Amino acid sequence: MSRKMKREAKSSRRRKIVKISAILAVSLLISLSAFGIWLVKKAEFAANNAYESADGRDKSDLRDEQVEPLNDNISILFIGIDDSAARNQSSDNIRSDALVLATLNNEDKSVKLVSIPRDTYTLIPDSGYEDKITHAYALNGPRSTIESVEGLLDVPVDYYMTMNFDAFVDVVDALGGITADVPYDLKEKDETDSHNAIELEEGTQHLNGSEALALARTRYYDNDIERGKRQQMILESIMDKALSAGSITKYGNVIDAIGDNMKTNLSFRDMQAFFEYAKNGKPDVETMSIKGYDDMSTGIYYYMPDEESLEELKDILQSHLGLKPDTSNLSLNEEDLTEQALPAPGTDPEDEQKNWQP
């Protein structure tokens, strides 16, 4: 073969390679675009199914007008409820097993996570008397819990999201599990209430959904404050995993996992706005909790908030939401919290009376 023919053959092969590469690139772009469109439509459908106002509550009574994500500083109350398909509980027996209030500052894209112990003693407006905040949900669902949290912390709750055990487990599994620090060896019930079904060893662990739920729920190895810290840690771990580059292909499974087990007053448009907080990676997150002490003076266990610290916490949250200037002089992060011991299993007469297990 002549040199000219060799050059032409070589040039032809090069053109074929370029052409094939271009076709593959275009195909990939089309596939990614199609996947993106499918994912958005799937998310929109799921969001519409999950949408539920808190009994017609368009805005907080502590707001003069309705707020919007990214236009305003807002708050979201995450409510983990002690319910699953296996439990099949009646609505008047469902309690909030985890309460975490997130305040989002639009200017610096920062987030404050406040864990509220489930046995916190506070006024439940729908009952007209003070009780454990966990009992509020059984009265009128999210609305009762929202109003109780607003009364306790004196800040508006703009949005809420409820998720039961099934959704939590499925979301973590759909993400391929999460990495979390297990503070001690433990045995705990699973989401079907099978005793000692979950065994975890102390140390950094990769947890599946059932294991993550067990770590979040366990109550009797430390105290309610530490329990709140664990729930905050797990929530942050889920955020980390969801925002990682490799998780985008798992979003479809995450959306399926939520299914009918989540309810929220966030519209799909509202949810889309939150991507702005995460476009540069995980936002600055500060975790806080309510300082307080144990009280068994009535024969029933309550977690009593320390009034001075509670006022400081209110000030911090109101400032973060831009409702007032920051005049606080106390940091309420994890290192400042004193440890409180919960009563041993079975010493809460009320839990025994109601034959209800946390």
Side-chain angles (χ1 to χ4, degrees):
M1 183 182 293
S2 66
R3 290 183 178 180
K4 182 178 179 181
M5 292 178 67
K6 286 182 179 180
R7 283 198 301 270
E8 289 178 350
K10 195 172 185 179
S11 177
S12 176
R13 285 197 301 271
R14 192 178 295 118
R15 285 196 298 270
K16 283 183 179 179
I17 292 172
V18 171
K19 187 176 181 180
I20 292 171
S21 298
I23 292 172
L24 289 174
V26 171
S27 299
L28 180 60
L29 286 173
I30 292 173
S31 297
L32 287 175
S33 298
F35 175 72
I37 293 170
W38 172 79
L39 199 60
V40 169
K41 289 298 182 183
K42 187 181 184 74
E44 184 175 11
F45 180 78
N48 290 338
N49 280 347
Y51 183 83
E52 182 179 88
S53 67
D55 292 341
R57 187 179 186 269
D58 292 329
K59 69 174 182 63
S60 168
D61 291 338
L62 300 181
R63 294 283 195 186
D64 293 329
E65 56 186 26
Q66 193 168 358
V67 294
E68 292 186 6
L70 289 189
N71 291 330
D72 305 286
N73 302 323
I74 63 159
S75 63
I76 307 173
L77 181 64
F78 296 94
I79 309 172
I81 57 176
D82 65 335
D83 184 32
S84 66
R87 284 189 163 194
N88 193 28
Q89 292 177 266
S90 61
S91 60
D92 59 357
N93 197 38
I94 297 175
R95 292 166 169 79
S96 57
D97 200 59
L99 286 175
V100 178
L101 179 70
T103 58
L104 288 74
N105 185 281
N106 184 45
E107 183 176 354
D108 59 14
K109 298 295 184 288
S110 62
V111 179
K112 294 190 186 297
L113 292 179
V114 182
S115 176
I116 304 171
R118 50 169 286 148
D119 293 324
T120 299
Y121 188 71
T122 191
L123 175 66
I124 311 296
D126 277 345
S127 70
Y129 57 84
E130 294 174 306
D131 198 355
K132 299 180 181 186
I133 200 167
T134 183
H135 293 163
Y137 195 91
L139 298 174
N140 284 301
R143 191 196 74 187
S144 293
T145 299
I146 289 169
E147 291 178 351
S148 300
V149 170
E150 288 184 331
L152 175 67
L153 298 177
D154 198 21
V155 292
V157 174
D158 301 308
Y159 301 101
Y160 79 93
M161 185 178 292
T162 66
M163 187 178 289
N164 67 12
F165 292 169
D166 289 336
F168 180 90
V169 170
D170 290 346
V171 165
V172 173
D173 284 341
L175 286 170
I178 60 171
T179 299
D181 182 35
V182 180
Y184 36 67
D185 294 348
L186 68 87
K187 292 183 180 181
E188 183 58 66
K189 293 183 293 186
D190 64 8
E191 63 273 21
T192 66
D193 287 337
S194 299
H195 287 274
N196 297 328
I198 304 296
E199 293 188 33
L200 296 177
E201 295 182 354
E202 180 181 355
T204 301
Q205 307 283 347
H206 185 78
L207 307 179
N208 62 28
S210 295
E211 292 166 339
L213 178 64
L215 181 60
R217 290 179 65 199
T218 191
R219 298 183 66 197
Y220 299 117
Y221 285 87
D222 41 37
N223 57 64
D224 228 6
I225 289 296
E226 294 301 319
R227 185 174 189 256
K229 291 181 187 179
R230 281 185 271 110
Q231 291 170 352
Q232 290 169 327
M233 173 194 66
I234 289 169
L235 187 56
E236 283 197 75
S237 295
I238 292 173
M239 289 171 58
D240 288 341
K241 190 63 177 288
L243 294 175
S244 64
S247 290
I248 189 170
T249 58
K250 301 173 183 176
Y251 287 172
N253 290 335
V254 171
I255 294 168
D256 288 336
I258 292 171
D260 296 327
N261 295 312
M262 185 189 83
K263 293 298 178 184
T264 181
N265 62 342
L266 284 163
S267 68
F268 180 64
R269 179 172 168 272
D270 293 331
M271 293 180 188
Q272 285 179 303
F274 290 126
F275 282 105
E276 188 71 21
Y277 277 83
K279 71 177 184 180
N280 294 320
K282 180 183 168 185
D284 178 34
V285 178
E286 181 183 3
T287 58
M288 300 182 292
S289 192
I290 298 174
K291 291 180 69 174
Y293 57 93
D294 304 328
D295 185 275
M296 284 286 292
S297 60
T298 63
I300 297 174
Y301 172 75
Y302 294 106
Y303 183 77
M304 308 295 290
D306 176 83
E307 289 301 324
E308 182 178 354
S309 296
L310 185 59
E311 290 303 314
E312 291 288 346
L313 178 58
K314 292 177 184 179
D315 189 82
I316 291 171
L317 296 178
Q318 289 168 359
S319 172
H320 195 238
L321 287 173
L323 301 175
K324 61 176 289 187
D326 186 4
T327 59
S328 66
N329 54 24
L330 178 66
S331 173
L332 295 175
N333 59 28
E334 294 176 354
E335 288 74 15
D336 296 317
L337 297 170
T338 56
E339 294 188 358
Q340 304 289 337
L342 279 176
T347 60
D348 185 340
E350 184 182 30
D351 281 346
E352 289 184 358
Q353 176 183 327
K354 293 182 179 295
N355 193 28
W356 177 79
Q357 296 295 324

